[in-house]
Every structure is written in structure tokens, then in C-alpha cells.
Amino acid sequence: MELTRRHVLMGTMATAVATGVADFSRPAHAGGGSRTAAAARLWYLAPATAWPQALPIGNGRLGAMVFGGVDEERLALNDDTVTAGGPHDPVNPAAHDALDEVRRLIFEGEYDQAQALARTDVVSKYWEMCYQPLGDLRVTSAGGRGEVTGYRRELDLDRALVTTRYRRGGVSYTREAFVSATRQCIVVRYTADRRGALDLDVTLDGPPPVGKQPWPAAPTESPVWTTAVDRAGDLLMTGSPSPLFGVPAAIHFAARARVLATGGHRTETADTVSVRGADEVVLLLSSATDHHDDRPTPEERSRAQIARTAGVPYRRLLHEHLVEHRKLYRRVSLDLGTTPAAGLPTDQRVDQSGSLDDPAFAALYFQYGRYLLISSSRPGTEAANLQGIWNERVAPPWQSNYTLNINTEMNYWLAEPTALPECAEPLVDLARGLAATGARTASEMYGARGWVAHHNSDLWRGTAAYDGPQGIWPLGGAWLCLHLWDHYDYSRDVRFLAEIYPLLRGACEFFLDTLVPHPEKGWLVTNPSVSPENSHHPGQMLCAGPTMDMQILRDLFANTMRAAEVLGVDADLRSQLSEARGRLAPHQVGSAGQLQEWLEDWDMTAPEPSHRHISHLYGLYPSGQIDIHDTPDLAAAARRSLELRGEGVDDDGWAVALRAILWARLGDAENAHRTLRLLFSPIRHNPNALNGRTYYQIDANLGGPTAVVEMLLQSVGEEIRVLPALPSAWSEGSVRGLRARGGFETDITWRDGRLATAVLTSRAGQRARVRTSDPLAVTGVGRGRVTRPEPDVVEFPTVPGGVYRLTPA
């Protein structure tokens, strides 16, 4: 197929094409029919020719990348539990006896010797297991030849629907694809405006072979699979992922496709279902694995999923899908204004992002991130990994694992403030699983109580130190505990707090047993550890008490003490944690005025001054230990560190997103906006607006929206900050539905760069403290009940369900 310049022009002119399917639900924040809802689309004037151009759909468990081809449609398939290898014990059996010597060498400054010993006797002999693709659903259009005109494909974020349209041979063709969360099936519908015009051949393939791979942890054996048409006329593909590191493949998978044709006739061969002369064709695809349960079998479960769906009319399937998706998606709306650039195809907006005046793209990117989280993380599914759920490689970059030293956490930073707490439930389940395996690691590796997780994990919940000496970072589980606390703090759900409290307590018990006094300073420090992935001297990462460790432990101990107080338990533990917290190594300011990354002032001589990680600024975000209002001197040191670190490595989009967030926390609106635009650059994003030109990772797509949130609303401790870093480029706009700690929801409108109104809804009846750049008047509170501890801060009591309007005084 060839798309000419004339066809592209025609497609540009015809950007608003009716879908033929009604919108069935419009909740309060939907903005149904509004500028923001209409603009929430990624659209293109040519099919995808490669995976980075295809469009993602998913229901948390089952995902696909839709290519929108004319002669052949390809859906690249993923199931969230298709992972190489199987359960294994990653603990190095020599680790327990070696750790004391490693600690001694580190305290004595013998870092090369410490790393050499750690590499052989502490680090796991395994790497993490690879997340692998399920396969491909391919649909070849056997009929229709000639010139293609009016081509357009789009992903409608509000409908979670990919639509492809074109005209060929005098016939207009339409194709729609979505993944149903209620039916656990992919649904694809083919229609044409001429009866009998659909001639299709459908096949179902498994994962590709291994081939030559650049990754040291790549499998050497390919997945095994077969496809056949079964007795019911379904395409049935069954198989197993690759074995890895001597661990046999433990997963068995099944994918099933059913072809439902209206009109025409159908034929079958051994591995193909063909339809000729049909008026409409609906394809249903289901998948299952035996990861959680081998009874019923994956084949039986995939058959049951199809059976529950096949008799339901397409319009009802779509209706159910829209209702379920919009329950989550429509909770938040964002309008940052629009310019003519918003009328360009999405790939052109990405390519020209450095020169376009396009505030609407930031709003689109924000909602795209929310869409991706909804599509890759739902209650009952696995947590979103480095690629969410979308992966085409049997040996993906970094195994498409759970990298716990920032990337997994960044995936979920937007969940609570953008009203997607259900999407964080898989992360809570991940923490629970890691706590179970991590208890064995804590005991076998450290001789400690509680539980620990190091910097990487996978479907099998490995918690030992993978990936060489850089993997000896025992704070991964402790950081996840911040997300457990946040899930409570945004809702104030005491029942949830009681459920996860044992995880908080267990994480604390591990560090109470393993923290050691610094031989010179007397501070309690971690040893061995690293400042994630960064070397303090060439080839040397291992150290004692890096700044990030101390910050995470301050939060872990403080949040656990607060949780125990709310629940009325563990008074003795609270006392122990308070004493230990007071002895942790403090923040230090170095010779360049920077916040030190390590106990020693090594920052200015470290071999990678522009390193992608800025781990020691955890205290600024996501924590609130460093704050421009409460700790201005430390905030100034953090700012200096951010300046020294620079803008981030070209293809590490997540590192740029992090920098934008940090600038916002510092109240620097223009630097935050400038950095956000750097994130949108085509050197970091593919035509489908997914991050990573060299290697795709989803973390930037989920971290970038967090930067937008932090520019518009910050929730630090007990304080809500309205428009704390509003850039001049967003001089007029509104956001509705953002959440803040304490159980608050906010709607904000601004004009000429100043707050017009903010509406605060209290769900938990907590006292509100709100900071803005202007003095505020508050309505909805009784006379004399509003206090002003600072000129730009108001405090007032609230009641559950209370609505409070804030306007410039």
C-alpha cells in the first residue's frame, strides 16, 4: 500500500469522522463533548510499520499494540504473567558469612576489595527472569485492491478505543479495537459501507524466536508454541516461555481467537480461519496462564472467557467497556489551553515539540499517562513493569522487570493524586509478595527479622541482590512502603492501614537489625549499600549510608510510627523507631553548596556528574523532608545539586521527567516547564508518544504527568499547595478531580496566570491547610473558623462531604 501526499492532505482535512457508536456515560468530570474530551486523541495519517508506531490498548492483564495496517492488521499481544524461567532462590549461599567482611572493607575505604568480594559471595548467581510477549494476532485483507484514500487511525483516550478508517476501491472500511476489562477479551470489529465487502484471513502466532540479543541476561532458548484450529473453530495457540539460567519454564499459556462473521461464508485450514463476503466481522481474543492456578487449565479458561463473550452483541460489549473505563478515566479533566498546533497529527506534534507552541500536548500527555496506567494496572493484575504490559521482545531491555530503585515507583506516582487509587492495588499486591519472599532473604542473607527487597525483582518476586554489586541496595521494599502509606494518606482508610501495617512493621524490623554505627561519626547507617547505580569513584559503587537510604528510612520509620499510633499498637516499637530515627546520618551540604549524595563529599569528583539518577533528592520528592518553606537551606542545597546534575541523558526520559518534578517542587515554574518540553522531544519519544527511541520504557510516560500535577497542585505533609509552579505558558486553564493527602479532592481554575477559584471537597473530614500565592477567602466555613498562620496560608476545619470554595481575597 502506498499513501501519497494527496492522501495525507485529505486525511488532515477529514479529522472529525463519526464513529457510528453512541457515547453511553458522561460522569460529572467527564467533560463529555468538551474541548478536553475531544482533544484526548492520538491520531495518524499512515499505518504503523514498526512496534514503536503502534497504539497500545489493555485491561491491566491483557494488552495489545494495534498497527492499523491496510493489507494486514497486526495486534502484538501480551499477557501480564508470561515470563521466562520460574520460581528460584536467588540468595547467594555465601552472602551471610561474607557480609561482615564486606562491611569492614567499606568502613576502611577498601572499596575495590569490598566489591570484588561482594561480586562473588554476596550478589545472586541469577539475573531477573524476562517478561516475554504472548504472540501476534494477524488479519490479512484478502479482497480490495487499488489506491487508499482518507486513511486515519486514532487512539481515543476517553473511549480506550483504537479506530482505523480508510477508503479503497470505492468502499469505506472501519475497524475498532479495545480490551474489555469486564469480559477479559480483546475485541476487534471490522465493518464496511458496502455489504459483502469483507474478505479476511485470520492467524494467531506465538512469541518470536530469541535471535541474537545484546543483553547479558538474554535467554538462549526460544519460547515453544503451536497453533491449530480446534473443534469449536477457534484458533488456539498454546505454549511456554523460555527457560532461563537453568530454571525450566514454569508458565503454560493459551491464547484463543474466535471469528464471528455476519453474512458471507467461512472456511478453515489447519492454522487459519478465512471469511469471504462478510458484512461484519468481530474477532474475540482471550488468553490465560497457569501462573496463579493450573485448574482449570489455561485452555479451559480461555474457552470460558470466549464463551461468556461470544453471544453478546458488539454494541453491548462496547457499552460495557466504555462504562468501565470511564469510571476511572473521567475522574480528572485538564485544560491548559489550545493553539493551532493541536490540529496536527500526533507524530508531527512529537517531532516538532521543540518549536511548537502547544500547551494542549502537555494535557494530552497527562491524560495519556493516566490511560496507560489504567490499561496496564488494574485490581487483580500484576503491577506495571518497566514496559507496563506492552513488550515485543523475548529478551527485553532490563528484562522488563520491576526496578525498585525508582522506575517501579515512578510508574505509580500519579495513581493517588490523579484519582486512580484502584490502579495502585497491584503495587500493593507486589509489596505483599515481596514481603513473603523477602522474609526468607532477610533471614538467609542477613540473619535479620522482617523482610527486604533489593533493587530489582520480577514475576517470581526475587528479593536478593541481582545484577552485580550495584544490586546491593536493600531499600527497594522500604521505598515501596512509602506507596503503602500514601495509599492510606490520600484516603485515610484505617481498614487499609491495618491490612498493610504488618508490611511496614516488617520492613522496619529488618533495618533495626541491620543498621550499624558509623565507626567515626556514630550515626546509624546502612552497610553495604549504594547510591542507586552511581559510582562515587571509578568502578566503585558500594558505600555506607548514602543520603537516599537515610531519607527513605526517615520516612519508613516516621510513617510506621504514625500508623502504629493511629491503630493504637506497638508502643515499644514506636519507641525503638524514634530512637533509631534520631541516630540516622543527617543531610549534609558539600563544598559546592550541594546536598551530598554520600556521607563523604564526593559529588564534585564522582565520575558521572550528569548521572541520570538524582537519588539524594528523594528527600525533595517524593518525600517532603526537604521543602522550600520548611527547610529553605536544604532546599537551596537540593537546587544546587539539580543544577549540577544537568538535564539528563538523551534517551533516559524518566530522568528528565524526574528533573521536571524536582523543579516544580522547588517552585521554579519556568524550569519545570522547560524540562517538561525537553521530555516531549523526539529524541526521547516514539511516534506513538511512548518513551524511549532506543529502548522503550513506560516510566517517563507515567512520570511526566506527575510533573504536570506538581506544577498545578502539591500535597506536602498536611499542606495543600494550589498552583505552586504555574508556568507562563499555561496562563489560563482548569483542572478538576485532583486528590490531596487527607482525603481531599480539588477543582482549580486560573486566568492570567493567577488563581480564579479553587473548590476543595473533603472526603475524610480532616482539617485543611491551603497555601497559594495570594491571600484567600474561604466560603463554606463558619464565621471565625478560618485562621491565617501565614499571609498566604489558610487553615480551616472540614466535615466529610463538605465543599469549600477558595477565591482570592
Side-chain angles (χ1 to χ4, degrees):
M1 182 201 74
E2 180 181 357
L3 295 178
T4 67
R5 178 182 176 87
R6 178 170 61 87
H7 303 150
V8 171
L9 179 60
M10 292 174 63
T12 304
M13 295 170 63
T15 59
V17 182
T19 64
V21 180
D23 288 341
F24 292 95
S25 62
R26 298 186 182 279
H29 285 316
S34 72
R35 180 171 71 184
T36 55
R41 293 185 176 92
L42 286 75
W43 64 279
Y44 306 84
L45 298 175
T49 58
W51 196 93
Q53 300 169 2
L55 294 171
I57 55 176
N59 66 1
R61 184 187 68 83
L62 181 59
M65 297 293 287
V66 184
F67 282 62
V70 173
D71 294 325
E72 182 187 67
E73 174 63 284
R74 175 189 172 196
L75 273 71
L77 307 172
N78 290 101
D79 180 299
D80 68 347
T81 59
V82 175
T83 299
H88 58 285
D89 182 1
V91 173
N92 188 321
H96 183 275
D97 293 337
L99 277 169
D100 280 343
E101 178 63 7
V102 172
R103 291 187 184 103
R104 183 189 69 79
L105 290 168
I106 288 172
F107 276 143
E108 292 181 3
E110 300 291 345
Y111 300 107
D112 286 335
Q113 294 181 45
Q115 292 209 168
L117 178 60
R119 189 181 299 277
T120 59
D121 287 15
V122 178
V123 172
S124 177
K125 304 303 182 182
Y126 295 93
W127 291 63
E128 315 88 74
M129 302 290 169
C130 295
Y131 176 60
Q132 295 189 319
L134 177 64
D136 290 311
L137 178 67
R138 295 180 184 270
V139 185
T140 302
S141 297
R145 292 292 181 265
E147 187 178 55
V148 174
T149 60
Y151 182 93
R152 172 170 168 143
R153 65 186 172 100
E154 70 174 33
L155 167 60
D156 186 333
L157 303 180
D158 181 56
R159 305 175 78 217
L161 183 75
V162 170
T163 303
T164 304
R165 297 185 183 87
Y166 59 90
R167 188 166 181 82
R168 191 180 207 183
V171 180
S172 294
Y173 295 92
T174 302
R175 188 184 314 151
E176 296 173 325
F178 63 90
V179 188
S180 170
T182 56
R183 301 284 174 171
Q184 289 298 308
C185 286
I186 296 175
V187 182
V188 184
R189 182 199 191 203
Y190 282 74
T191 58
D193 67 353
R194 179 185 298 172
R195 291 175 64 97
L198 297 176
D199 298 334
L200 307 176
D201 296 322
V202 185
T203 59
L204 183 58
D205 299 328
V210 170
K212 185 177 180 180
Q213 300 292 339
W215 303 101
T220 58
E221 297 181 46
S222 297
V224 177
W225 58 273
T226 60
T227 295
V229 177
D230 72 1
R231 295 178 184 177
D234 294 341
L235 287 161
L236 177 62
M237 186 264 290
T238 59
S240 295
S242 301
L244 195 56
F245 313 128
V247 180
I251 293 288
H252 175 70
F253 58 74
R256 181 183 300 271
R258 182 166 296 182
V259 181
L260 304 172
T262 301
H265 64 278
R266 165 190 172 126
T267 59
E268 301 166 4
T269 64
D271 60 0
T272 304
V273 175
S274 299
V275 174
R276 297 293 183 268
D279 303 329
E280 176 189 81
V281 177
V282 175
L283 308 177
L284 304 177
L285 185 135
S286 65
S287 76
T289 77
D290 57 0
H291 174 57
H292 296 293
D293 192 353
D294 60 2
R295 290 289 182 272
T297 66
E299 293 89 336
E300 292 167 340
R301 264 180 289 164
S302 67
R303 182 185 304 116
Q305 290 163 354
I306 292 287
R308 287 194 299 267
T309 309
V312 181
Y314 175 80
R315 290 178 64 85
R316 180 178 168 190
L317 293 175
L318 180 58
H319 169 66
E320 291 176 352
H321 164 69
L322 294 176
V323 170
E324 187 68 17
H325 173 69
R326 286 169 172 170
K327 284 179 185 177
L328 300 172
Y329 180 82
R330 287 189 166 188
R331 289 174 181 169
V332 173
S333 65
L334 174 64
D335 185 354
L336 297 177
T338 191
T339 64
L344 293 172
T346 305
D347 50 347
Q348 295 182 31
R349 295 172 79 180
V350 172
D351 285 343
Q352 301 175 46
S353 61
S355 59
L356 289 175
D357 176 18
D358 193 1
F361 187 77
L364 176 66
Y365 196 86
F366 169 85
Q367 292 290 31
Y368 191 30
R370 296 183 68 247
Y371 165 86
L372 291 169
L373 187 61
I374 293 168
S375 301
S376 62
S377 184
R378 294 273 196 123
T381 74
E382 298 300 315
N385 60 42
L386 273 178
Q387 298 184 198
I389 54 171
W390 301 280
N391 166 43
E392 69 168 341
R393 303 172 186 235
V394 294
W398 299 281
Q399 294 77 54
S400 193
N401 64 16
Y402 297 113
T403 301
L404 303 178
N405 65 18
I406 191 169
N407 310 86
T408 300
E409 290 85 359
M410 182 178 283
N411 283 358
Y412 286 92
W413 284 344
L414 61 79
E416 303 298 338
T418 72
L420 299 175
E422 298 94 330
C423 295
E425 290 182 22
L427 187 70
V428 176
D429 293 338
L430 174 63
R432 289 191 174 108
L434 293 173
T437 55
R440 295 194 298 272
T441 300
S443 176
E444 295 173 12
M445 187 171 173
Y446 291 92
R449 297 173 298 159
W451 67 280
V452 63
H454 291 78
H455 95 143
N456 275 335
S457 191
D458 55 24
L459 179 75
W460 308 111
R461 306 302 187 249
T463 51
Y466 292 108
D467 299 357
Q470 72 170 4
I472 307 176
W473 184 71
L475 275 294
W479 192 347
L480 290 180
C481 285
L482 178 65
H483 285 260
L484 302 180
W485 173 260
D486 286 350
H487 200 57
Y488 160 75
D489 204 20
Y490 276 82
S491 67
R492 298 301 168 95
D493 182 346
V494 177
R495 287 178 297 181
F496 171 78
L497 185 64
E499 290 175 7
I500 57 91
Y501 177 73
L503 276 68
L504 302 181
R505 182 180 60 210
C508 289
E509 288 172 341
F510 172 80
F511 288 103
L512 289 176
D513 286 357
T514 58
L515 287 169
V516 292
H518 191 280
E520 297 176 4
K521 303 290 188 178
W523 301 323
L524 286 180
V525 296
T526 50
N527 184 8
S529 189
V530 300
S531 188
E533 302 185 33
N534 199 9
S535 299
H536 48 82
H537 291 86
Q540 298 176 352
M541 286 189 181
L542 288 184
C543 64
T547 298
M548 185 192 214
D549 288 13
M550 302 297 98
Q551 294 169 336
I552 291 176
L553 291 180
R554 283 191 201 96
D555 278 347
L556 174 65
F557 290 175
N559 293 339
T560 304
M561 286 189 286
R562 290 178 62 189
E565 185 176 0
V566 170
L567 297 173
V569 298
D570 286 344
D572 289 345
L573 178 64
R574 278 183 263 164
S575 177
Q576 294 174 51
L577 293 176
S578 178
E579 191 273 337
R581 190 174 188 271
R583 293 180 59 196
L584 293 173
H587 289 112
Q588 299 179 89
V589 178
S591 59
Q594 88 287 2
L595 186 71
Q596 288 184 194
E597 185 167 354
W598 297 275
L599 293 181
E600 296 80 1
D601 191 0
W602 288 330
D603 299 57
M604 302 309 295
T605 57
E608 293 187 73
S610 299
H611 197 272
R612 59 195 176 277
H613 285 263
I614 321 178
S615 300
H616 49 311
L617 298 196
Y618 166 98
L620 179 64
Y621 185 92
S623 181
Q625 295 171 41
I626 299 173
D627 183 72
I628 57 174
H629 300 290
D630 296 336
T631 61
D633 291 342
L634 286 178
R639 181 187 182 93
R640 181 61 179 148
S641 291
L642 186 55
E643 292 169 345
L644 292 169
R645 209 59 145 209
E647 294 174 344
V649 180
D650 284 351
D651 202 35
D652 279 315
W654 68 263
V656 182
L658 174 62
R659 284 155 171 78
I661 294 168
L662 294 170
W663 282 121
R665 268 292 167 100
L666 289 169
D668 192 327
E670 301 311 318
N671 266 327
H673 182 256
R674 176 187 58 81
T675 308
L676 191 65
R677 291 192 65 174
L678 289 176
L679 173 64
F680 299 156
S681 164
I683 68 172
R684 296 185 180 91
H685 279 80
N686 295 295
N688 61 9
L690 291 179
N691 166 68
R693 281 286 193 172
T694 306
Y695 302 116
Y696 155 60
Q697 285 184 204
I698 203 171
D699 37 25
N701 287 101
L702 304 178
T706 305
V708 175
V709 172
E710 288 292 310
M711 294 161 79
L712 302 177
L713 182 77
Q714 293 177 13
S715 185
V716 184
E718 302 296 324
E719 185 170 279
I720 300 168
R721 298 171 183 173
V722 178
L723 303 181
L726 182 68
S728 58
W730 302 347
S731 61
E732 180 176 336
S734 65
V735 62
R736 292 176 172 79
L738 293 182
R739 299 167 76 227
R741 298 176 187 277
F744 293 101
E745 296 175 7
T746 59
D747 299 342
I748 307 168
T749 302
W750 63 93
R751 289 187 292 271
D752 298 323
R754 314 292 292 188
L755 176 69
T757 60
V759 177
L760 199 67
T761 302
S762 175
R763 299 301 181 192
Q766 301 293 307
R767 185 172 180 82
R769 177 183 170 94
V770 182
R771 182 186 295 272
T772 65
S773 59
D774 298 305
L776 290 174
V778 183
T779 59
V781 183
R783 182 189 295 266
R785 306 194 72 187
V786 177
T787 60
R788 290 178 168 78
E790 300 176 40
D792 53 357
V793 176
V794 293
E795 292 185 359
F796 52 93
T798 72
V799 297
V803 179
Y804 308 89
R805 183 180 179 88
L806 293 77
T807 55

